[in-house]
Amino acid sequence: MKPQLANRVYTLTPSTTLAITAKAKELKEQGIDVIGLGAGEPDYNTPQNILDAALQSMNDGYTKYTPAGGLPALKKAIADKLLRDQKLSYQPSEILIGIGAKHVLYTFFQVFLNELDEVIIPIPYWVSYPEQVKLAGGVPVYIEGTAEQQYKISAQQIKNAITDKTRAIIINSPSNPSGMLYSEVELKEIADVCKEADIWIISDEIYEKLVYGDAQHISIAQVSEDAKERTMIINGVSKSHSMTGWRIGFAAGNKQVVKAMTDLASHSTSNPVTTSQYAAIEAYNGPQDTVEEMRAAFESRLEIIFPKVVAIPGFKVLKPQGAFYLLPDVSETARKTGYDSVDAFVDALLTEANVAVIPGSGFGSPSTIRLSYATSLDLLETAVARIDSFVRSKWQEELL
């Protein structure tokens, strides 16, 4: 019998990331040496002090339910982190712990949006933003941040897109997939527009610790008291402490919204994983030297690999300021190597050059591909050399 699924399921767009990952895995199982540059997670293990704290919590018998919104000790650790890093003061009632930043964001949209409420989403975007908005009955409204704008959107663009149905805007800085950061001036201008229109801000700061060169992460909640009051910060330990599988994220913001999110969580997840919460307490309260070591390693890889990617024929790429992704525009490359789309070029890279990258179509940016440098330098250099050789072998004009 064919089941009748809920209508909301049919609004979902299949994940291009998962499709490429599955195909790469299939090739690897056939014994083909595929190098994956699609990773959205650090390639380091969780630091030893965090592992030790998790084990200790289990040995001490902390394996039972916790409050639905998270352990008080973890809320305090997060409040201390926000005060230490962003000079922002939050009470425990303004913080929710969830099963990863993704589920925290999902919970926010579920309690915040009504049918046909609009949420402004910058292009390029993280793949789950529009899907989560749609699942909550909302309508994604897209604004393109072009390469000329460093893949960021302006306050004027936002102002032009606001309607009487607009409820919120998403700001992701540093950005997945572009790696770009909004400056303090840009954030102030955006906050002023949001104040004037009385709309909320969702600030996804999951990559805040991975920032390079002279760039500096600023939370939009820092730019004014009004901005803080209308901002829900989404963050977690996944990227900063290499804890993607532990599934701990948090929201910090308006206590009425946080209470509603907590009430929903009590009926959907019961509580975040207990052991993971104790691990996250150590992540925030313990030594931070491993966080800096990992950040420095990513920056070193970027410095080495970036000029090699720039040298690939047709690749147009901005140097990222944070995260661990490159987002080259390869539309010319695809065309001059005989492919009618970037997606077709990506498929050929996988099957012929044995390198898995993510097509930008999944991020609303179909002329680009996303390359992750969250893998070893040896593999990175080999993968980029394969891509370069593949492109040069297919190029339909004489290369200088």
Side-chain angles (χ1 to χ4, degrees), residues 14-91:
S15 170
T16 53
T17 305
L18 292 180
I20 290 290
T21 301
K23 191 165 185 177
K25 183 180 178 182
E26 181 183 330
L27 291 173
K28 284 183 178 181
E29 288 174 349
Q30 295 171 15
I32 298 172
D33 177 25
V34 172
I35 299 176
L37 299 184
E41 58 183 351
D43 55 316
Y44 293 87
N45 194 17
T46 304
Q48 190 62 48
N49 63 305
I50 299 173
L51 299 176
D52 292 343
L55 180 59
Q56 188 62 51
S57 74
M58 291 186 282
N59 288 334
D60 289 343
Y62 297 128
T63 57
K64 309 299 182 184
Y65 291 128
T66 75
L71 287 165
L74 181 50
K75 290 188 176 188
K76 182 180 185 306
I78 290 169
D80 291 345
K81 169 258 179 298
L82 289 165
L83 189 60
R84 181 174 65 243
D85 292 347
Q86 278 79 39
K87 306 298 186 291
L88 292 170
S89 178
Y90 288 91
Q91 299 301 312

Side-chain angles (χ1 to χ4, degrees), residues 182-321:
Y182 285 85
S183 70
E184 185 172 7
V185 170
E186 290 167 333
L187 292 172
K188 283 180 178 178
E189 291 173 349
I190 291 170
D192 287 344
V193 170
C194 293
K195 179 181 180 180
E196 182 182 351
D198 192 23
I199 63 173
W200 282 63
I201 304 163
I202 302 105
S203 183
D204 183 347
E205 303 177 15
I206 196 71
Y207 290 94
E208 64 150 324
K209 292 295 183 181
L210 300 177
V211 175
Y212 314 121
D214 296 330
Q216 181 182 7
H217 169 263
I218 303 289
S219 171
I220 195 169
Q222 292 176 257
V223 303
S224 69
E225 187 57 37
D226 180 82
K228 179 176 181 286
E229 290 177 2
R230 67 178 66 251
T231 296
M232 186 64 68
I233 293 175
I234 307 293
N235 205 334
V237 292
S238 292
K239 317 297 182 180
S240 58
H241 295 81
S242 195
M243 294 177 66
T244 52
W246 296 79
R247 309 312 303 137
I248 293 293
F250 71 82
N254 179 277
K255 67 180 181 180
Q256 281 79 29
V257 179
V258 166
K259 181 183 184 303
M261 294 170 69
T262 304
D263 290 344
L264 178 57
S266 72
H267 290 293
S268 58
T269 61
S270 292
N271 64 268
V273 176
T274 303
T275 303
S276 295
Q277 290 188 72
Y278 282 98
I281 291 170
E282 175 62 21
Y284 285 126
N285 288 345
Q288 302 298 304
D289 53 316
T290 53
V291 175
E292 171 55 22
E293 288 172 14
M294 187 169 65
R295 187 210 66 78
F298 285 134
E299 183 169 22
S300 176
R301 291 176 191 174
L302 174 62
E303 292 302 318
I304 293 169
I305 211 71
F306 181 74
K308 297 179 186 295
V309 173
V310 170
I312 299 173
F315 274 46
K316 297 179 177 66
V317 56
L318 301 178
K319 191 173 185 179
Q321 300 166 299

